[in-house]
Amino acid sequence: MHLFTKPARWATAAACGLLALAALPASPASAAGAEAGGAPAVPARYAQQRLDWQPCRTGALECASMTVPRDWYHPGTGADLTVAVSRHRAADPAARRGVLMMAAGGPGASGLGRPAGPAAYSPKVAAAYDIVGFDQRGVGASTQVLCSDQDTVDALFTSGDLRDRSRRAVDATVDRARNFVRDCERRSGDLLPYITTDQAVHDMDLFRALLGESKVSYYGPSYATILGAYYATEFPRRVDRVVLDSNIGFTGSWQKFLTGQPMSFQRRFEQDFLPWLAANDATYHRGRTAEEAKASYERLRRTLSEHPLDLEGTTITPNHLDGAATSLVYSGDRFPELAALLDVLEHPEAAPQAARRALAEKLKHPLGAQFAADFFSVICQDTPWNHDSAFWVSRSAADSAAYPMAGARELTFASVCAAWPRSQAPRVQVTGRGLPPIMMLNSRHDPATYYEGALRAHQGTAGSRLITVGGGDHGVYQSHNPCVDAYVEGFLVDGRMPTEDASCEGKPLPDPTAGR
């Protein structure tokens, strides 16, 4: 879901080395999978592995790899897969209370370097837990799923003008999506059915068992909230303290969730970014009201549609602009970056060449080819999709008109899933029954994991507590919000769960004149 460079705290870390595994006698992993309905007991060749921890290629983490079945429901069939895992040992062994497992967002982002974030950010969490992460099957240093090359993926999101609803433009969008799916089937057809969240949570439980732990605590942002919710549902006796940050509507379907995003991206842009831009007109000169600032954005977009810009060898279309804008509003801290981007695209001749080159590099590939392969494998297979192209042409036309920032690209996303082979993945129904209380965090104007979806997930998950955060940042823990940090760390370290839902103020938006 991310079409631009993310803040550093969510950045993909360098891959760890994939290290061989040696056999051991009986392992706690022999019980892995027993709770998950329909999955057989874990065969000894997986359960009796040893994680051969070695320093990662970069950073302060240890890395290893584990072998997992291609299909957890038929573990004797098909070639095995490799899942890369990482660890940051508890800083205070005497205070250690267990393992905190983390996962990445996306789906499609690397989780291998994630333990370094909270280990550096929170001394309390670093002292209390071995913090562990992994690259989900299909991603990064794990066995990768492959679809189209980068040029083909670029064309999905940058060709023409995705707001163009002419018959020719719509047909071209649908054809590109179908070609992408054909590439996936050609290059990864025997692997695609097993790149799902359900399969991944079985990998997570094997990881837990190979660590020798009867239970793990969990923290995950964005898509990782689905991983955490599914894991807790399928293995309820294996979870301790669970924090889900910026929640996808995990009690519903991917289709329901993704068709809600055009509204939330438009809301964040119009109600947060544009008023901020107008309030700082003395710095950015985009208009003194939100309406004037929006008009200046639309003028720039129209210019790029009529005359795409050659920026240091990269052809910038209006789709590049929309993609960058929707990603940069994930965090209020990046509003100045978006304002500067608008200025460079409007007056490229006035920008230093280094700035033009840096921006061209950022805009060049809206979505990485490897990320796209895993992203669509998961979202198109976890839950059912409407496969009627006519439905999506009509639905996307309405959303593009009402919420053009992200509504224009809805047809691309939906057409891929409409063309995807029908999935046999089991439906996981998250209810919260039988689980310890789960802490949920969400900002009110989060553009990607919108509050309405988080609220539905909260209401459908028995025993959960929702911490509502002001503003619209995506990922509210580890963002230097003392109120949020106190709730999360109080729960993970000391077990303090609020008796009812609570709230925190959001961080103030940046002042571009500060420090002058």
Side-chain angles (χ1 to χ4, degrees):
M1 290 180 288
H2 307 151
L3 296 182
F4 205 69
T5 306
K6 306 311 305 155
R9 62 195 172 90
W10 300 125
T12 301
C16 297
L18 297 182
L19 305 171
L21 293 168
L24 277 181
S27 156
S30 59
E35 289 189 62
V42 178
R45 65 194 181 98
Y46 307 112
Q48 295 178 5
Q49 298 178 81
R50 179 173 64 86
L51 294 174
D52 185 11
W53 294 106
Q54 300 289 337
C56 296
R57 291 176 181 170
T58 61
L61 304 180
E62 298 175 290
C63 284
S65 64
M66 63 182 188
T67 300
V68 302
R70 176 172 298 242
D71 180 4
W72 276 101
Y73 297 92
H74 302 91
T77 61
D80 289 338
L81 309 181
T82 297
V83 171
V85 298
S86 62
R87 175 174 67 180
H88 183 281
R89 289 183 180 271
D92 184 356
R96 180 186 182 277
R97 70 170 311 275
V99 166
L100 176 66
M101 187 176 290
M102 299 185 65
S110 170
L112 209 56
R114 295 301 172 96
Y121 185 82
S122 173
K124 291 181 180 179
V125 172
Y129 290 98
D130 289 347
I131 308 173
V132 303
F134 60 96
D135 273 354
Q136 186 174 329
R137 56 169 57 205
V139 173
S142 297
T143 300
Q144 292 189 359
V145 62
L146 303 173
C147 288
S148 296
D149 60 26
Q150 188 61 58
D151 288 345
T152 302
V153 173
D154 289 346
L156 273 175
F157 297 101
T158 64
S159 296
D161 184 343
L162 292 178
R163 293 192 194 177
D164 183 355
R165 304 304 302 182
S166 67
R167 179 62 181 268
R168 181 178 179 180
V170 167
D171 287 349
T173 296
V174 173
D175 286 346
R176 284 191 293 268
R178 290 172 175 168
N179 288 337
F180 174 82
V181 176
R182 281 193 286 269
D183 286 347
C184 294
E185 293 180 290
R186 177 175 56 84
R187 301 183 70 182
S188 298
D190 61 340
L191 177 59
L192 292 180
Y194 313 111
I195 305 299
T196 66
T197 302
D198 170 65
Q199 293 282 347
V201 300
H202 286 78
D203 298 342
M204 291 165 62
D205 198 57
L206 177 62
F207 185 22
R208 170 207 58 79
L210 294 177
L211 290 167
E213 300 289 330
S214 60
K215 291 185 176 184
V216 293
S217 293
Y218 181 87
Y219 167 79
S222 196
Y223 164 66
T225 62
I226 292 189
L227 282 166
Y230 277 28
Y231 180 75
T233 298
E234 297 197 55
F235 300 97
R237 293 189 295 275
R238 309 275 171 79
V239 294
D240 187 9
R241 298 171 183 174
V242 176
V243 178
L244 306 179
D245 183 349
S246 303
N247 294 263
I248 287 175
F250 48 73
T251 54
S253 69
W254 275 108
Q255 176 174 314
K256 182 175 181 61
F257 170 72
L258 288 171
T259 52
Q261 281 190 325
M263 176 278 297
S264 56
F265 276 105
Q266 196 73 30
R267 175 173 62 193
R268 174 67 161 161
F269 181 72
E270 293 188 353
Q271 296 186 22
D272 294 345
F273 173 70
L274 290 178
W276 174 87
L277 189 62
N280 291 284
D281 183 58
T283 300
Y284 299 115
H285 313 294
R286 309 299 302 184
R288 290 176 292 179
T289 66
E291 292 75 16
E292 290 176 352
K294 183 178 181 180
S296 74
Y297 180 93
E298 291 298 327
R299 282 194 301 272
L300 173 58
R301 194 188 186 283
R302 189 162 51 250
T303 297
L304 291 173
S305 181
E306 296 169 353
H307 306 286
L309 173 66
D310 183 343
L311 189 68
E312 299 297 316
T314 297
T315 301
I316 306 301
T317 71
N319 304 322
H320 287 92
L321 175 61
D322 286 345
T326 53
S327 289
L328 289 170
V329 296
Y330 273 60
S331 169
D333 290 343
R334 304 192 79 184
F335 282 7
E337 187 177 344
L338 177 53
L341 176 149
L342 298 176
D343 190 56
V344 172
L345 293 184
E346 184 138 44
H347 305 289
E349 71 288 344
Q353 187 177 47
R356 295 198 305 269
R357 285 177 176 172
L359 181 57
E361 189 62 28
K362 287 181 179 180
L363 294 175
K364 188 174 185 179
H365 304 305
L367 199 67
Q370 210 281 305
F371 185 103
D374 186 79
F375 176 84
F376 284 111
S377 296
V378 172
I379 72 163
C380 296
Q381 297 186 124
D382 273 0
T383 55
W385 278 81
N386 187 322
H387 287 256
D388 181 359
S389 292
F391 169 85
W392 288 113
V393 170
S394 175
R395 171 66 191 252
S396 65
D399 284 344
S400 183
Y403 315 113
M405 287 293 300
R409 70 187 188 206
E410 184 179 64
L411 183 60
T412 297
F413 284 88
S415 293
V416 170
C417 288
W420 203 273
R422 293 183 184 272
S423 172
Q424 301 301 313
R427 288 297 305 274
V428 179
Q429 298 293 340
V430 178
T431 65
R433 291 191 292 271
L435 292 174
I438 291 174
M439 178 176 286
M440 300 173 62
L441 317 167
N442 227 91
S443 66
R444 287 192 177 275
H445 280 188
D446 188 322
T449 54
Y450 47 90
Y451 187 70
E452 293 83 352
L455 193 60
R456 287 195 297 269
H458 165 51
Q459 292 169 342
T461 305
S464 62
R465 303 284 187 274
L466 177 62
I467 312 299
T468 297
V469 184
D473 284 355
H474 179 69
V476 292
Y477 178 54
Q478 302 179 76
S479 65
H480 302 284
N481 184 318
C483 176
V484 173
D485 293 351
Y487 276 117
V488 173
E489 292 165 9
F491 177 49
L492 289 178
V493 177
D494 301 318
R496 296 195 305 269
M497 171 67 82
T499 57
E500 56 187 19
D501 294 346
S503 62
C504 289
E505 294 291 329
K507 294 195 310 177
L509 292 175
D511 177 0
T513 65
R516 289 185 178 179

